[in-house]
Amino acid sequence: MKIAVLAGDGIGPEIIAEAMKVLQALASDGLKLELEQAPFGGAGYDAHGDPLPEATLRLAKAADAVLCGAVGGPQYDVLPRAQRPEQGILRIRKELGLFANLRPAVLFPELVGASTLKPEIVSGLDVMIIRELTGDIYFGEPRGRRVNARQEREGFDTMLYSEPEIRRIARVGFTTAMKRGRKLCSVDKENVLETSRFWREVVTDVAKDYPQVTLTHMYVDNAAMQLVRAPKQFDVIVTGNMFGDILSDEASMLTGSIGMLPSASLDERSKGLYEPVHGSAPDIVGKNLANPLATILSLAMMLRYTFNQDEAAKRIEDAVKRVLAQGLRTADIQEGGARKVGTAEMGDAVLAEL
Ligand code: NAD
């Protein structure tokens, strides 16, 4: 199992260091792992003038899976768009054909008090949000600036989905639902957008191949409301790139902290890039405050989705659960009575439980 490790910027190296401890523990227990690190994001720009240096991309392509920390930071915000760290993320997704982003929003019972919502609304929450990752208004052409007929400056982007793009993400939605509660909710804006009307038509057609799954459709504005009103009504949500970007961040808050949420981005053969949902958190860099659990849980997703090592994945998840049950919390989890620990101490605690 070849894993490319791209720590990135900000708290990236801090949280990746903890995930590496877990990987090394699994390796010494007999998992055959090959790990190689490379600069990425702002670190890629600093080393090679490119957020996705050629050697990093080569390594990522040769690997079976990629583990990422996070990228970005205020010092890079002044760079031209093509050199910004975030472009590295968009490009690596495109280059590796990672079109399906899986973001579970699971509330650990121990953290029910950390959610901003009432316990009865969120306890037992287990939603999987599947976001299409390589199309939509984030990539559609044309885009740009121009001067219109009234001589006013304007900016524009193009929302666009092809039928094959919708079919393959819909299939990920249905197959994921088959492995879970067999309920799929497709989120769109069909009442306004032509792209969404087409999306709904194609998803409905794909549904014919999955008669055991109950398909529903929901407008994105309603979905945003339902996620905070009654989130447990959802099993799997499938949606486009922009709606998924927003809804998955919203869902992340239901679980208590963005520092707990892993993600997987998969290609058609389950090669994947695994990363925490959060960014590089420049406000807490070097303060031993970063929660490494989202990254460690991303590792569990990697073992499950790319390497089919369900047992090893479960070992990691169970170790995290036990650490939370002991009352250990990093500072991002707002909860009274817990024992506050730093990044490394949290990593070590998971390691001890492993
Ligand atoms: P952020 O997720 O980095 O931080 C938001 C808030 O959550 C901050 O207060 C931060 O301290 C806290 N936080 C995030 N992760 C945490 C963790 N593991 N433990 C404890 N607290 C945590 O989002 P932002 O501030 O909007 O963005 C900062 C930078 O990250 C920007 O440059 C942005 O472009 C980049 N970013 C990168 C990715 C990525 O690498 N995939 C994703 C989102 C944002």
Side-chain angles (χ1 to χ4, degrees):
M1 305 174 207
K2 265 195 192 158
I3 305 173
V5 181
L6 316 180
D9 312 314
I11 60 169
E14 299 170 41
I15 51 183
I16 285 289
E18 301 313 308
M20 291 291 276
K21 288 181 190 168
V22 172
L23 275 175
Q24 270 142 15
L26 292 173
S28 61
D29 274 1
L31 272 194
K32 291 207 160 37
L33 301 171
E34 258 178 61
L35 308 171
E36 198 171 329
Q37 301 217 32
F40 181 52
Y45 175 80
D46 290 340
H48 303 286
D50 183 349
L52 179 59
E54 236 179 86
T56 302
L57 180 59
R58 223 177 308 121
L59 178 73
K61 281 188 168 166
D64 302 308
V66 181
L67 180 67
C68 273
V71 301
Q75 68 272 43
Y76 304 111
D77 288 349
V78 292
L79 292 173
R81 205 165 67 96
Q83 280 148 17
R84 297 272 292 265
E86 294 77 5
Q87 288 301 311
I89 291 265
L90 295 181
R91 268 175 50 211
I92 201 169
R93 285 173 183 164
K94 200 82 182 171
E95 289 277 353
L96 298 183
L98 307 173
F99 70 95
N101 187 215
L102 274 59
R103 292 197 188 186
V106 176
L107 184 72
F108 288 93
E110 294 79 11
L111 297 188
V112 71
S115 173
T116 46
L117 296 193
K118 294 184 192 125
E120 62 269 30
I121 305 284
V122 285
S123 66
L125 180 79
D126 181 358
V127 185
M128 177 70 87
I129 299 192
I130 299 176
R131 163 189 171 196
E132 201 289 330
L133 212 49
T134 53
D136 205 355
I137 195 161
Y138 290 2
F139 293 97
E141 296 284 350
R143 61 195 291 155
R145 305 277 185 97
R146 64 188 170 200
V147 176
N148 67 19
R150 289 186 303 278
Q151 295 307 305
E152 298 153 334
R153 292 198 306 146
E154 58 187 23
F156 63 100
D157 297 275
T158 301
M159 181 177 265
L160 188 147
Y161 265 122
S162 69
E163 183 170 349
E165 282 178 312
I166 303 172
R167 281 192 182 277
R168 66 180 184 177
I169 194 71
R171 276 195 292 270
V172 175
F174 284 106
T175 49
T176 308
M178 285 292 287
K179 292 181 202 151
R180 296 173 39 106
R182 301 196 168 184
K183 275 170 40 182
L184 181 66
C185 179
S186 168
V187 170
D188 61 37
K189 189 70 184 166
E190 189 255 5
N191 49 346
V192 179
L193 298 171
E194 195 52 44
T195 318
S196 282
R197 265 194 286 277
F198 184 55
W199 170 282
R200 193 176 282 211
E201 206 178 290
V202 175
V203 172
T204 305
D205 192 52
V206 175
K208 291 178 193 150
D209 296 335
Y210 302 89
Q212 304 94 324
V213 176
T214 306
L215 171 69
T216 53
H217 301 276
M218 195 179 276
Y219 297 142
V220 62
D221 41 347
N222 187 24
M225 182 182 78
Q226 295 299 334
L227 270 175
V228 286
R229 194 189 73 87
K232 283 187 275 182
Q233 70 184 280
F234 298 109
D235 175 24
V236 181
I237 291 176
V238 65
T239 188
N241 203 344
M242 181 165 64
F243 299 155
D245 191 359
I246 299 164
L247 291 182
S248 55
D249 264 25
E250 185 191 4
S252 73
M253 262 334 283
L254 305 177
T255 66
S257 173
I258 198 164
M260 292 295 302
L261 292 170
S263 80
S265 306
L266 305 178
D267 75 359
E268 283 177 272
R269 281 159 306 154
S270 296
K271 172 171 176 164
L273 183 147
Y274 298 82
E275 59 183 332
V277 163
H278 59 75
S280 58
D283 52 330
I284 58 167
V285 176
K287 296 184 179 160
N288 197 28
L289 287 175
N291 185 348
L293 293 182
T295 314
I296 290 171
L297 291 168
S298 299
L299 215 51
M301 285 189 89
M302 176 191 290
L303 290 165
R304 178 167 291 126
Y305 288 98
T306 294
F307 297 124
N308 289 318
Q309 298 278 341
D310 253 5
E311 206 178 306
K314 211 169 161 320
R315 268 185 74 198
I316 296 177
E317 288 160 353
D318 287 347
V320 168
K321 276 186 199 153
R322 283 197 298 274
V323 166
L324 293 173
Q326 290 162 17
L328 270 60
R329 305 282 186 269
T330 40
D332 52 300
I333 303 171
Q334 305 299 325
E335 209 192 9
R339 200 180 120 212
K340 291 283 177 233
V341 294
T343 309
E345 204 180 334
M346 184 58 105
D348 288 340
V350 174
L351 204 62
E353 285 302 326
L354 257 184

